[in-house]
Amino acid sequence: MKIIMLGAPGAGKGTQAKMIADRYGIPHVSTGDIFRANIKNGTELGRQAKAYMDKGELVPDELTVKILLDRVAQADCKNGYVLDGFPRTIPQAEVLDKELSRLGESIDYAIDVDVPDENIVKRMGGRRACVTCGATYHIEHVPPKKEGICDNCGGELILRDDDKPETVQNRLNVYHTQTQPLIDFYNAKGVLREVDGTKDMMEVFDSITAILG
């Protein structure tokens, strides 16, 4: 079972990807994690990726797909995997498609966790992080015992720049331009499934497991 998670930043697709991985005993493959692992282990692919990242450039699609395929060729992926954070663009999806078909494989499901922009801006604007220990809270869903104070260490809780409404809106604009076309791409292939990401986390997961069986 080869699954791609789609959805805007803050839609909760990473959380759902981890839960799917646990339920079905398949790896949760995050491109960020693979990059870090390759760079840390000093692999040839890691060195190539680091050369781009050190210059502040995006890693080219071909190299990203190579690093990804290297990961999914490992033994723990033989029964499938959940891709989180890749592909982000149509060219990446096309390269992935071409390389998988060369191996006689294809994506089984692309699951879109659909959440309206205004919900995401509100959801992320409610996040708070401790400046001392890094613990995270949400003013509605996981509030601290005392407003503005970390339960763990008593540190100050702040709204990170990443979670400020104007930053979130910018990220959403990039998502709609670059990543949203993937929904049409996978829909045309007949593998797209959409779930309502505004529901409770477990309800969203139940919708996904109903699709996956």
Side-chain angles (χ1 to χ4, degrees), residues 47-66:
R47 280 196 291 274
Q48 289 176 35
K50 189 173 186 298
Y52 289 99
M53 291 158 82
D54 286 349
K55 288 185 282 191
E57 295 173 6
L58 288 176
V59 179
D61 293 345
E62 282 77 9
L63 180 55
T64 303
V65 172
K66 266 187 198 165

Side-chain angles (χ1 to χ4, degrees), residues 1-3 26-27 29 72 77 79-83 100 105 107:
M1 192 154 57
K2 298 172 187 68
I3 303 162
I26 56 178
V29 178
V72 300
C77 290
N79 295 323
Y81 44 82
V82 190
L83 293 187
L100 283 176
E105 297 175 3
I107 295 299

